[in-house]
């Protein structure tokens, strides 16, 4: 139990270091944000990001677009819209049009503060002419099932959107836009975060000042700083298909000396035609449980920093050498890791965390 609590506390240290409210508050304290005339926050961490800005500038109108059940503790004066993730719904279209209107309402000389975090791609959308919501839903589901990487998915979304890839801010008529972003993508490219919903168009007619204020690197470094054990690895390498990743990961884990291994990124999983319940972190944890079965003194946590793994209420899972049994093979084949892991008390349920900087793997080896 002590080791379980230790590994959970390490993951939580990483999450706390990149919370949206913490990151935005630091940016304000560091003088990165002049007084805005309007605040827009979009993404899974939109509420957390908006709170310090609304506290600092209570007279600036604020629009928040976030995921269902992520609006708790939102600033009372803000307009809050909730929508679906990872597949857009009708509320996503409503939110997208509200963003267009809010940006268009900014008059000459105004300063717009944009706060963006992962999830924005699905939460707000205005499809290109000729595309319907059903088209967007079908294409998103197909990409999710195929195991497409987030960069590929967001490029697809941008090409089919009237508000992605700098198109939203193309409608801005003011003087300055400051964007603060939490990065959930490899390379921390603003053009990929939320499919570029808070990025500027090419050759903007306004001053544009973007800042990445939280990232997977910051989260991993916070885990490392919180560890009383030696850190044997700290890298952002969890990219690619899980089935290809597992042999490499297991070889790395088994060959590592005693201590803490910290990895980050966003793996992908190819789904069967009728998948069960789960997410990429649970799938990776279950694969790893099989590979380390019988190993003593090894615990591995894999969880999303946003507190949500796939369309579930779990962030991921914590497994060790005793977790696996033969029935897990069927759960893997059906992409149904959630109930299998839940039955073994392995799920991590944190609720919304107020951030989103992709996933963390924390392994402790005695």
């Amino acid at each position: 139990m002590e080791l379980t609590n230790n590994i959970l506390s390490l993951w939580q240290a990483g999450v706390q270091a990149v919370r949206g409210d913490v990151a935005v508050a630091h940016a304000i304290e560091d003088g990165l944000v002049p007084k805005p005339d309007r605040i827009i926050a979009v993404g899974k961490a939109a509420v957390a990001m908006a709170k310090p800005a609304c506290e600092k500038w209570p007279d600036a109108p604020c629009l928040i677009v976030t995921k269902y059940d992520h609006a708790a503790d939102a600033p009372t004066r803000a307009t809050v819209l909730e929508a679906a993730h990872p597949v857009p719904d009708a509320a996503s279209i409503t939110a997208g049009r509200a963003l267009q209107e809010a940006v268009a309402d900014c008059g000459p000389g105004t300063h717009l503060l944009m706060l963006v975090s992962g999830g924005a791609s699905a939460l707000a959308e205005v499809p290109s002419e000729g595309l319907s919501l059903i088209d967007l839903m079908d294409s998103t589901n197909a990409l999710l099932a195929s195991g497409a990487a987030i960069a590929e998915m967001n490029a697809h979304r941008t090409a089919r959107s009237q508000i992605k890839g700098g198109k939203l801010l193309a409608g801005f008529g003011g003087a300055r836009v400051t964007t603060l972003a939490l990065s959930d993508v490899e390379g921390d490219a603003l053009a990929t975060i939320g499919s570029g919903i808070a990025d500027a168009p090419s050759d903007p007619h306004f001053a544009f000042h973007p800042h990445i204020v939280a990232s997977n690197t910051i989260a991993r470094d916070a885990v490392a700083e919180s560890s009383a054990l030696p850190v044997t690895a700290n890298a952002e390498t969890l990219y690619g298909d899980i089935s290809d990743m597992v042999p490499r990961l297991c070889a790395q884990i088994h060959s590592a000396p005693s201590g803490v291994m910290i990895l980050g990124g966003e793996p992908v999983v190819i789904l069967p035609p009728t998948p069960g319940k789960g997410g990429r972190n649970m799938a990776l944890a279950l694969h790893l449980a099989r590979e380390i079965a019988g190993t003593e003194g090894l615990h591995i946590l894999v969880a999303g920093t946003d507190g949500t793994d796939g369309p579930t209420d779990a962030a991921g899972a914590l497994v060790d050498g005793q977790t696996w049994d033969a029935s897990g093979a069927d759960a893997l084949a059906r992409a149904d890791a959630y109930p299998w892991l839940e039955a073994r008390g392995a799920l991590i349920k944190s609720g919304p965390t107020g951030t989103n900087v992709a996933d963390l793997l924390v392994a402790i080896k005695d």
Side-chain angles (χ1 to χ4, degrees), residues 3-336:
L3 187 54
T4 297
N5 290 337
N6 187 26
I7 198 168
L8 281 170
S9 69
L10 289 177
W11 178 76
Q12 289 163 349
V15 169
Q16 290 297 316
V18 290
R19 279 184 54 92
D21 50 359
V22 172
V24 171
H26 285 165
I28 293 171
E29 291 166 5
D30 291 343
L32 299 181
V33 187
K35 182 182 184 300
D37 298 290
R38 181 179 288 272
I39 301 165
I40 293 176
V42 56
K44 293 181 187 175
V47 167
M49 296 184 79
K51 287 174 70 175
C54 287
E55 290 171 3
K56 177 70 173 179
W57 299 291
D59 295 331
C62 179
L63 171 62
I64 295 173
V65 175
T66 195
K67 184 179 176 179
Y68 293 125
D69 300 322
H70 282 54
D73 300 323
T76 54
R77 64 177 186 79
T79 298
V80 181
L81 301 178
E82 297 176 87
H85 181 277
V87 180
D89 65 357
S92 304
I93 308 298
T94 300
R97 298 200 184 282
L99 290 177
Q100 284 183 314
E101 293 173 4
V103 169
D105 281 345
C106 295
T110 56
H111 171 216
L112 171 63
L113 174 59
M114 290 288 299
L115 307 172
V116 63
S117 55
S121 296
L123 296 171
E125 187 56 283
V126 179
S128 298
E129 293 295 333
L131 289 179
S132 68
L133 174 60
I134 297 300
D135 294 330
L136 294 179
M137 295 173 72
D138 287 347
S139 63
T140 302
N141 278 317
L143 284 167
L144 289 168
S146 73
I150 188 64
E152 179 184 349
M153 289 194 65
N154 286 356
H156 177 92
R157 289 160 161 161
T158 298
R160 290 157 177 78
S161 173
Q162 296 185 45
I163 61 172
K164 307 293 171 57
K167 299 169 193 173
L168 175 64
L169 292 182
F172 178 67
R176 173 181 175 134
V177 175
T178 301
T179 290
L180 304 183
L182 310 187
S183 175
D184 66 335
V185 301
E186 186 175 12
D188 302 336
L190 186 59
T192 306
I193 300 168
S195 302
I197 199 168
D199 200 3
S202 57
D203 193 23
H205 53 273
F206 52 85
F208 183 59
H209 300 272
H211 305 277
I212 304 297
V213 294
S215 66
N216 193 267
T217 298
I218 294 171
R220 285 183 288 105
D221 287 348
V223 176
E225 290 169 8
S226 299
S227 176
L229 299 172
V231 175
T232 61
N234 179 1
E236 192 171 336
T237 55
L238 296 181
Y239 293 104
D241 180 71
I242 284 173
S243 59
D244 297 330
M245 180 187 301
V246 166
R248 169 178 55 82
L249 264 180
C250 287
Q252 182 181 8
I253 291 169
H254 282 304
S255 64
S258 297
V260 176
M261 180 178 294
I262 310 157
L263 303 177
E266 189 170 292
V268 297
V269 58
I270 298 173
L271 298 175
T274 55
K277 186 176 182 179
R280 61 179 180 264
N281 290 291
M282 285 176 262
L284 178 54
L286 188 49
H287 273 283
L288 291 172
R290 180 179 62 186
E291 298 302 318
I292 67 171
T295 303
E296 297 292 336
L298 178 59
H299 291 68
I300 305 174
L301 177 153
V302 192
T305 56
D306 60 357
T308 305
D309 187 24
T312 77
D313 61 351
L318 171 57
V319 298
D320 59 29
Q322 312 308 311
T323 304
W324 177 261
D325 65 55
S327 64
D330 182 59
L332 278 174
R334 292 185 292 105
D336 198 29

